Amino acid sequence: MSQIVQAYMKQEWDYYDMNLAKALEAVEQDDLEHASIYFQRIAWVMHTLAKHHPAN
């Protein structure tokens, strides 16, 4: 895997981590509207990352 792809994947995982933290915080605060937005972002990140992982 090229260094560019590795850097991109790291950036995407960082984005995943940030949005997961925000989603869980929003759930704790019973702010389900914002939690939903963060979970949608997480789903997009997972979709993007799946493109770079071979199928098992």
Side-chain angles (χ1 to χ4, degrees), residues 5-15 49:
V5 172
Q6 287 177 343
Y8 174 75
M9 289 179 64
K10 182 186 179 325
Q11 178 183 346
E12 289 296 300
W13 279 114
D14 290 346
Y15 188 66
L49 287 170

Side-chain angles (χ1 to χ4, degrees), residues 6-46:
Q6 287 177 343
Y8 174 75
M9 289 179 64
K10 182 186 179 325
Q11 178 183 346
E12 289 296 300
W13 279 114
D14 290 346
Y15 188 66
Y16 169 89
D17 290 340
M18 178 188 66
N19 280 287
L20 180 58
K22 288 182 177 183
L24 295 175
E25 184 178 318
V27 168
E28 286 178 352
Q29 295 175 357
D30 206 24
D31 183 359
L32 301 183
E33 183 176 342
H34 283 104
S36 175
I37 292 167
Y38 294 124
F39 283 121
Q40 288 173 16
R41 291 177 183 173
I42 290 168
W44 180 253
V45 169
M46 297 307 292

